[in-house]
Amino acid sequence: MSETLDTIKQQISENSILLYMKGSPQMPQCGFSAQAVQALMGCGERFAFVNILDNPDIRTELPKYANWPTFPQLWLNGELVGGCDIIVEMYQNGELAPMVKQAAGDAAPQEGDNA
C-alpha cells in the first residue's frame, strides 16, 4: 500500500497537469472522464493521465489520499482541482484555462503520456 501511495505522490509531483481517469484521452471509458478530457483539451495544453482501470491499486488508494471519492480527478501543480462537474463548470466559466496554462508554464508533459 505504501508503494502505491509513493507512486501516486510521484505521479502528482512529476506532472503539473495530471488527470486520473477511466480509460485514455483517446478512448475514455466513462462519460465523466470523456467530459473532463474535452474540457482539458479545450484549454489547449498537453496533459498526463493515469488510466485507473489499468491500475487497480491506484483506483483504490487515490480516493483516500485525495479525500475525493470519485473519478476523474484533475491535479494541477500538485493540488486537486476536483472531478468532472467542477472541471466542466470551471471550463465553461473561463476559470480552468488560465489555471491549466499556468500549470503548463511550469512543466509540460506530453499529451496522452501515461504518468
Side-chain angles (χ1 to χ4, degrees), residues 13-91:
S13 70
E14 290 180 356
N15 295 283
S16 60
I17 306 169
L18 176 60
L19 184 67
Y20 287 95
M21 63 179 291
K22 293 179 180 176
S24 69
Q26 296 78 19
M27 197 94 139
Q29 297 295 307
C30 83
F32 298 117
S33 290
Q35 289 178 52
V37 165
Q38 285 183 327
L40 264 180
M41 287 183 165
C43 295
E45 298 294 339
R46 297 175 177 203
F47 61 93
F49 76 96
V50 174
N51 180 354
I52 61 159
L53 299 177
D54 290 341
N55 297 277
D57 292 345
I58 291 173
R59 184 179 187 176
T60 300
E61 293 303 316
L62 182 61
K64 298 174 199 170
Y65 174 75
N67 198 25
W68 191 267
T70 59
F71 294 96
Q73 290 186 16
L74 175 62
W75 292 76
L76 297 178
N77 288 329
E79 298 290 325
L80 175 64
V81 174
C84 178
D85 291 346
I86 292 171
I87 295 166
V88 170
E89 181 180 329
M90 290 177 72
Y91 176 73

Side-chain angles (χ1 to χ4, degrees), residues 91-114:
Y91 176 73
Q92 290 173 342
N93 67 24
E95 292 177 47
L96 186 63
M99 291 173 63
V100 168
K101 291 185 185 309
Q102 180 181 358
D106 296 337
Q110 295 296 311
E111 179 178 314
D113 274 1
N114 257 332

